């Protein structure tokens, strides 16, 4: 009971720090976030190990020193994303729109105007939540919300994801039916299918040449809803210059009749974007924890 109370007090204190920091100009906040990330690189040993393993598997062409530099750059980006979260919780819509540029919104609007359901394929880059907030300012969307173990942070994360427009946040227990229904009602689905969720509904397809358990949700949902898949990538700009959310061209001839091939195509596309900003992909996730039968876990 005491430990729970202390944890709650510490969480409220952290939220108060985020609130104070959100008043700072973004270049200052970005500098502080990078410093926090540098400290996390040295202090968060288990996450540093996970990132090192992921980078060794995905970038075998780099030597150890280059991978360490990439890992440190990644932790600095993670630190920024943590400290800049307060902006998503409290900054005004005008300020956020000035900090986060949205490119290609007309592509999504045209599909919706045609009555076409839309899936926004949003890989796990560090600016993911920032992109979600910016999308919410232009579109009433649907997304999956995983309840957090910490009730204080859960409250503020939910607040941040629902404060603009009329957003519908579904739990994983709501299943496919609620998501398809929302898409058919005109809500773009902000979809994050590129983590290791275990063997259920997953196939092993290559990611940077390594077999990765990947859910087949993207082609299944696109087929069920008759939805267009629109790539959605959030880039954190250097020097505290803000973010840009990019909507790409809708994918053509997708899905096919082969869900495994479609899932492999999704991974190839994600890999191609990761190569343009490798420090911003979420390497501290155990992407390869689920292995094919007989293969040892790398972590």
């Amino acid at each position: 009971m005491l430990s729970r109370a202390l944890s709650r007090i510490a969480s409220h204190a952290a939220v108060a720090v985020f609130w104070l920091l959100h008043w700072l100009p973004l270049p200052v906040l970005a500098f502080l976030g990078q410093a926090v990330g540098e400290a996390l690189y040295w202090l968060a040993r288990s996450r540093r190990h996970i990132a090192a393993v992921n980078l060794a598997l995905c970038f075998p062409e780099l030597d150890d020193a280059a991978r360490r530099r990439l890992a440190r750059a990644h932790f600095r980006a993670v630190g920024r994303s943590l400290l800049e979260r307060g902006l998503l919780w409290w900054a005004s819509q005008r300020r956020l729109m000035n900090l986060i540029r949205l490119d290609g919104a007309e592509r999504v609007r045209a599909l919706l105007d045609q009555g076409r359901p839309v899936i926004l394929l949003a890989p796990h880059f560090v600016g993911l939540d920032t992109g979600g907030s910016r999308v919410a300012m232009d579109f009433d969307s649907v997304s999956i919300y995983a309840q957090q173990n910490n009730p204080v942070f859960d409250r503020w994360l939910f607040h941040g994801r629902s404060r603009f427009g009329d957003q519908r946040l579904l739990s994983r227990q709501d299943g496919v039916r609620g998501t398809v229904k929302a898409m058919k009602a005109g809500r773009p689905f902000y979809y994050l299918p590129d983590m290791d969720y275990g063997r259920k509904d997953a196939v092993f397809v290559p990611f940077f040449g390594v077999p990765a358990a990947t859910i087949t949700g993207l082609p299944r949902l696109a087929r069920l809803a008759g939805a267009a898949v629109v790539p959605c990538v959030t880039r954190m700009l250097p020097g505290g210059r803000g973010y840009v959310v990019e909507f790409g061209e809708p994918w053509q001839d997708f899905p096919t009749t082969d869900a495994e091939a479609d899932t492999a195509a999704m991974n190839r596309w994600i890999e191609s974007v990761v190569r343009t900003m490798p420090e911003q992909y979420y390497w501290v996730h155990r992407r390869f924890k689920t292995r094919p039968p007989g293969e040892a876990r790398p972590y």
Side-chain angles (χ1 to χ4, degrees):
M1 182 70 74
L2 178 60
S3 62
R4 187 180 304 173
L6 291 174
S7 174
R8 196 173 185 87
I9 291 170
S11 298
H12 281 297
V15 169
V17 170
F18 287 159
W19 180 81
L20 290 171
L21 290 174
H22 98 276
W23 297 104
L24 295 173
L26 184 57
V28 177
L29 189 55
F31 175 81
L32 294 175
Q34 288 181 325
V36 168
E38 187 70 24
L40 288 174
Y41 175 80
W42 297 107
L43 296 174
R45 295 177 60 184
S46 63
R47 293 294 173 180
R48 187 176 75 230
H49 171 70
I50 291 168
V53 171
N54 285 336
L55 293 174
L57 290 171
C58 294
F59 296 97
E61 70 277 12
L62 298 180
D63 60 26
D64 289 344
R67 286 197 293 267
R68 282 195 298 271
R69 287 194 296 271
L70 180 53
R72 290 177 68 176
H74 172 61
F75 272 82
R76 289 194 293 271
V78 169
R80 274 196 60 182
S81 72
L82 291 174
L83 261 62
E84 292 169 22
R85 192 170 297 275
L87 294 169
L88 309 182
W89 296 351
W90 295 294
S92 69
Q93 181 168 337
R94 175 180 292 183
R95 183 183 180 194
L96 289 175
M97 291 184 76
N98 287 333
L99 294 177
I100 313 165
R101 190 175 82 242
L102 183 62
D103 288 350
E106 69 282 355
R107 293 169 177 151
V108 176
R109 184 63 63 194
L111 291 165
L112 295 175
D113 288 346
Q114 297 165 16
R116 185 85 184 272
V118 173
I119 297 175
L120 302 175
L121 174 57
H124 275 83
F125 291 100
V126 294
L128 184 70
D129 282 341
T130 303
S133 292
R134 184 61 184 85
V135 169
M137 296 175 199
D138 278 46
F139 300 97
D140 292 335
S141 307
V142 60
S143 61
I144 302 298
Y145 179 76
Q147 188 172 15
Q148 306 299 303
N149 293 328
N150 185 307
V152 176
F153 288 124
D154 182 70
R155 172 193 168 194
W156 285 106
L157 285 169
F158 189 92
H159 163 76
R161 294 187 183 183
S162 59
R163 65 184 293 227
F164 299 114
D166 177 23
Q167 308 310 312
R168 182 165 298 173
L169 304 181
L170 303 178
S171 70
R172 297 197 183 280
Q173 288 68 40
D174 291 319
V176 171
R177 182 176 299 179
T179 303
V180 171
K181 183 178 179 181
M183 281 194 285
K184 288 186 173 181
R187 293 177 177 270
F189 178 33
Y190 196 65
Y191 191 34
L192 298 61
D194 60 322
M195 281 193 160
D196 188 330
Y197 296 107
R199 296 181 185 276
K200 184 178 179 182
D201 299 324
V203 292
F204 285 99
V205 291
F207 184 58
F208 283 88
V210 182
T214 310
I215 57 173
T216 58
L218 183 67
R220 289 190 297 112
L221 285 168
R223 185 176 299 109
L224 285 170
V229 175
V230 176
C232 179
V233 175
T234 302
R235 297 181 185 273
M236 175 187 285
L237 301 178
R241 297 203 305 269
Y243 295 78
V244 58
V245 183
E246 302 168 345
F247 289 142
E249 293 287 351
W251 285 1
Q252 301 299 314
D253 303 318
F254 189 95
T256 69
T257 57
D258 188 335
E260 182 170 340
D262 290 339
T263 305
M266 179 191 77
N267 274 7
R268 285 196 300 273
W269 172 77
I270 294 172
E271 179 182 336
S272 71
V273 182
V274 170
R275 290 186 182 279
T276 69
M277 49 175 180
E279 77 285 354
Q280 294 190 35
Y281 195 63
Y282 200 61
W283 296 115
V284 291
H285 166 67
R286 292 182 297 167
R287 183 63 184 91
F288 305 105
K289 65 181 177 181
T290 303
R291 307 312 306 141
E295 186 174 318
R297 292 186 176 185
Y299 305 104

